[in-house]
């Protein structure tokens, strides 16, 4: 193979200056040769050197032989032409390959007496150069990969500021691809206000100065990055042909630095403004830094705390030095001390209760270089705690020993505390409230009322009072009178309250009894007085009537009626007296049906006058009952009279007589004005009447009588619809003992 024939620019001895790398192959294998021209043939006259053998040539086949005889045809033709030119006076070089060995030949004429007598040639082995070239290519690739894999952006710019090389890191930094970058200058990356500076820096580098700069550049996505970069001139043959740059993305670093700076400022400000005393003692030189709060609390100023000879500050009292030493040893070994309550001394010698926290401060190499101490004056807090403890103890004693019920409940009804008196009042252990809501212990009818009271308490933040029925362990209801007081806390809204409750059941009963017995005794006295006064005139009237009757002629019936009515007055008066003092009752077996018929006949006239119809129904086979018949008659009269009077404009009254279980029930059903619900409990109290000429004594006497018969009066009534009074009387087999 033949390549690269080129003329040597200068004649003569310039052979070894062909190209710089040939110096590098001076130790290569070589050979020399001479040839002459004989007629038209070129004859090899001399051939010597290491290369000769490598070419696979043999002396006897070369010397004095024609070129055509030595080399293969193609090579021979080429060589003949080259040698011919040399023999004609030309100096030249060419590259070729023989026997697999690349070689370079330089050949030139040798003059004798002004004419070319022969040609002289020199061959060198080029195999090494090929290897070097391969090596060069490899090292270039290595450089390329080194550049590409460098984490820092590397680039070169030509004299116009255009990118000529960029590595991968450049594409990451800018967001542009390699091809895009290689068509750009650095200009679009510069922030507008920094362009002039950038151009100056670039020109400075072109002048041969290598320097480091910092700038904010624009990313393809519109964002910015902070970089540092060094520009170095590229000098080839004493000429600057461009600039080489190494950049570093310092965005994260700068941000971290900024954050660090801000944190440091913040920390300093916190320390400066903290109301806790803060001191930092260095372990090597015992230098101290304290904050204004330290100076204020302990009275020692920063300036007075120089020249310390130990890390124990003068605020540590004598008796706490050992403790302080112990704590500091912990911290020196990297431990922390939190909220230790101890004593510290002010400059004037006042002892303060403080809460102390210590922590280590680390140096660059991770060793503890200083200790920080934060202390808070808790003298006041301590005093308050003591007072609180005392008052808590006081309240605890009260709560544990009271017979009233004391409890603390949150707004959801969870019981936080309840006094032991709960056992006394409601019969169960306070632990029964655990995990339950207090509402569950209330009578369901009372829950809305209690909820309203508690809402009012929350809104007004004032105590409220309410009554509530609570279930006793034995199943009955206990009426409690409760006071709920909101517990003040930090927020506006209280979240719990204290209840103090007391049993009202007994009180209610007593009150009721007092109220009724009061009226009864008044009435009793009145009745006894009146009855006595009436009885005497009645006795004389009855006597005279009987006298008149014995002499009368005609109208005998009237005397009979008058006498029986006077007897009735007498017995009524007697009953009045019965209220005042108990009397023996004369029980007889009575047929109530007959008794009722008699009652209806008495009131018939009144009924007709007010346009009222009376209907009477009776079950067959009704047993007779033991009773004081006059008294029961009086009850029935009262009942029927009230029913008639409830219907001033007329209507109907139904009277039913029936047996139920062990009772006979007489019901008086009217369709009159009815009784308001709230009045029902007061029926039976004396002097309660809604009638103009009423006495308000009727029902009271009825109750008394029925009670004496061990019976019951049940009232059902609805306003404007009517009332039913049912009188239940027990059926006894034998005559009951009078009471
Ligand atoms: P008086 O009949 O003298 O008023 P009572 O003791 O018999 O006294 O009755 C008391 C009150 O009870 C009456 O005034 C009336 O208001 C009410 N009352 C009793 N029975 C009835 C009834 N059947 N319907 C409506 N109200 C009644
Ligand atoms: Mg009446």
């Amino acid at each position: 193979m033949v390549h690269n024939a080129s003329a040597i620019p200068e004649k003569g001895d310039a052979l070894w200056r062909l190209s710089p790398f040939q110096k590098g192959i001076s130790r290569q294998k070589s050979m020399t040769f001479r040839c002459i021209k004989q007629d038209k043939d070129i004859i090899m006259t001399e051939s010597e050197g290491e290369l000769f053998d490598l070419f696979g040539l043999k002396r006897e086949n070369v010397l004095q032989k024609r070129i055509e005889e030595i080399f293969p045809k193609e090579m021979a033709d080429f060589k003949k032409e080259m040698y011919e030119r040399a023999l004609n006076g030309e100096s030249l070089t060419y590259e070729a390959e023989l026997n697999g060995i690349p070689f370079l030949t330089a050949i030139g004429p040798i003059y004798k007496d002004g004419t070319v007598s022969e040609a002289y040639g020199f061959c060198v082995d080029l195999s090494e150069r090929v290897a070097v070239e391969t090596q060069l290519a490899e090292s270039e690739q290595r450089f390329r990969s080194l550049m590409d894999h460098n984490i820092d952006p590397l680039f070169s710019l030509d004299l116009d500021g255009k990118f000529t090389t960029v590595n991968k890191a450049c594409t990451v930094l800018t967001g542009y691809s390699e091809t895009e970058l290689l068509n750009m200058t650095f200009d679009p990356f510069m922030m507008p206000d920094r362009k002039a500076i950038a151009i100056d820096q670039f020109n400075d580098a072109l002048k041969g100065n290598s320097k480091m700069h910092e700038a904010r550049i624009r990313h393809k996505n519109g964002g910015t990055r902070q970089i540092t970069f060094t520009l170095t001139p590229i000098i080839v043959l004493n000429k600057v042909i461009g600039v080489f740059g190494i950049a570093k993305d310092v965005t994260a670093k700068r941000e971290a630095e900024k954050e660090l700076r801000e944190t440091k400022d913040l920390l300093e400000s916190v320390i400066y403004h903290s109301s806790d005393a803060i001191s930092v003692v260095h372990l090597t030189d015992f230098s101290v830094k304290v904050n204004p709060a330290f100076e204020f609390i302990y009275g020692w100023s920063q300036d007075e705390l120089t020249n310390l000879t130990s890390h124990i500050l003068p605020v540590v009292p004598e008796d706490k030095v050992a403790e302080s030493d112990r704590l500091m040893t912990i911290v020196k070994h990297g431990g922390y001390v939190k909220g230790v309550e101890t004593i510290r001394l002010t400059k004037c010698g006042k002892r303060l209760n403080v809460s102390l926290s210590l922590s280590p401060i680390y140096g660059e190499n991770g060793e503890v270089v200083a200790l920080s101490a934060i202390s808070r004056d808790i003298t006041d807090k301590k005093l308050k705690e003591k007072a609180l403890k005392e008052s808590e103890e006081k309240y605890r004693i009260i709560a544990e020993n009271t017979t009233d019920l004391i409890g603390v409940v949150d707004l959801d009804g969870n019981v936080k505390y309840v006094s032991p008196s709960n056992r006394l009042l409601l019969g169960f252990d306070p632990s029964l409230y655990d995990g339950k809501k207090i509402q569950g212990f209330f009578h369901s009818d009372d829950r809305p009322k209690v909820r309203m009271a508690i809402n009012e308490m929350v809104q007004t933040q004032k105590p409220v009072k309410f009554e509530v029925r609570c279930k006793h362990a034995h199943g009955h209801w206990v009426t409690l009178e409760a006071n709920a007081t909101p517990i003040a806390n930090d927020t506006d809204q209280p979240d719990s309250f204290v209840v103090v409750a007391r049993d009202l059941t007994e009180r209610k009963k007593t009150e009721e009894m007092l109220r009724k017995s009061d009226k009864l005794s008044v009435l009793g006295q009145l009745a006894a007085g009146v009855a006595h006064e009436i009885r005497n005139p009645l006795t004389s009237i009855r006597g005279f009537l009987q006298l008149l009757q014995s002499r009368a002629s005609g109208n005998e019936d009237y005397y009979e009626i008058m006498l029986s009515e006077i007897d009735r007055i007498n017995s009524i008066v007697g009953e009045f007296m019965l209220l005042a003092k108990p009397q023996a009752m004369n029980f007889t077996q009575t047929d109530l049906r007959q008794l009722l018929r008699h009652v209806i006949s008495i009131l018939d006239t009144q009924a007709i006058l007010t346009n009222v119809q009376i209907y009477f129904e009776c079950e067959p086979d009704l047993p007779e009952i033991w009773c004081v018949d006059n008294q029961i008659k009086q009850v029935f009269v009262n009942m029927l009279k009230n029913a008639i009077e409830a219907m001033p404009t007329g209507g109907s009254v139904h009277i039913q007589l029936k047996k139920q279980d062990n009772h006979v029930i007489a019901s008086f059903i009217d369709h009159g004005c009815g009784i308001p619900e709230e009045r029902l409990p007061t029926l039976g109290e004396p002097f309660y009447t809604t009638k103009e000429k009423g006495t308000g004594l009727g029902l009271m006497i009825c109750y008394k009588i029925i009670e004496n018969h061990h019976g019951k009066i049940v009232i059902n009534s609805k306003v404007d619809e009517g009332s039913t009074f049912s009188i239940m009387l027990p059926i006894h087999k034998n005559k009951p003992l009078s009471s």
Side-chain angles (χ1 to χ4, degrees), residues 226-262:
Q226 185 78 16
I227 58 162
T228 58
F229 59 96
T230 313
L231 296 180
T232 317
I234 306 173
I235 303 168
V236 174
L237 298 174
N238 284 327
K239 257 184 78 183
V240 175
I241 59 153
V243 164
F244 180 68
I246 304 173
K248 217 175 181 75
D249 187 345
V250 292
T251 319
K253 194 174 157 220
R254 291 289 179 267
E255 269 160 18
E257 280 168 2
K258 189 168 162 243
E259 215 165 281
L260 195 70
R261 222 173 22 248
E262 283 169 0

Side-chain angles (χ1 to χ4, degrees), residues 638 641-642 645 691 695 698-699:
N638 268 323
K641 207 164 169 293
N642 280 349
E645 284 165 359
K691 297 165 198 165
T695 61
L699 280 178

Side-chain angles (χ1 to χ4, degrees), residues 22-38:
Q22 281 189 344
K23 287 177 198 158
I25 58 167
S26 53
R27 282 186 286 108
Q28 293 307 109
K29 299 189 180 76
S30 60
M31 66 174 277
T32 54
F33 64 89
R34 284 167 194 264
C35 58
I36 53 164
K37 196 161 183 182
Q38 254 178 20

Side-chain angles (χ1 to χ4, degrees), residues 113-142:
D113 307 328
T115 57
V116 178
S117 62
E118 56 182 336
Y120 179 84
F122 177 80
C123 287
V124 276
D125 175 9
L126 283 188
S127 340
E128 286 283 324
R129 190 187 82 177
V130 172
V132 168
E133 271 173 351
T134 318
Q135 246 175 33
L136 201 70
E138 267 174 18
S139 92
E140 201 174 298
Q141 211 158 4
R142 262 206 299 276

Side-chain angles (χ1 to χ4, degrees), residues 523-536:
L523 183 77
Q525 284 163 15
L526 192 83
V530 170
H532 193 73
E533 291 304 314
I534 290 171
R535 270 221 171 146
N536 293 341

Side-chain angles (χ1 to χ4, degrees), residues 638-639 642-643 645-646 670 672-675 683-685 688-691 693-700 717 723 725:
N638 268 323
M639 290 299 160
N642 280 349
E645 284 165 359
D670 69 56
C673 57
I675 305 161
L683 287 184
E685 282 180 21
Y688 166 69
T689 178
T690 53
K691 297 165 198 165
K693 287 184 179 160
T695 61
L697 285 173
L699 280 178
M700 186 207 67
S717 187
S723 320
F725 284 73

Side-chain angles (χ1 to χ4, degrees), residues 5-15 18 81-94 105-111 116 118-121:
S6 67
I8 295 171
E10 282 170 71
K11 288 184 178 179
D13 60 353
L15 272 175
L18 282 173
E81 189 197 327
M82 294 297 127
Y83 292 1
E84 197 111 44
R85 280 164 66 178
L87 289 165
N88 283 330
E90 213 179 315
S91 282
L92 46 89
T93 63
Y94 62 85
T105 303
I107 184 166
I110 293 177
Y111 289 88
V116 178
E118 56 182 336
Y120 179 84

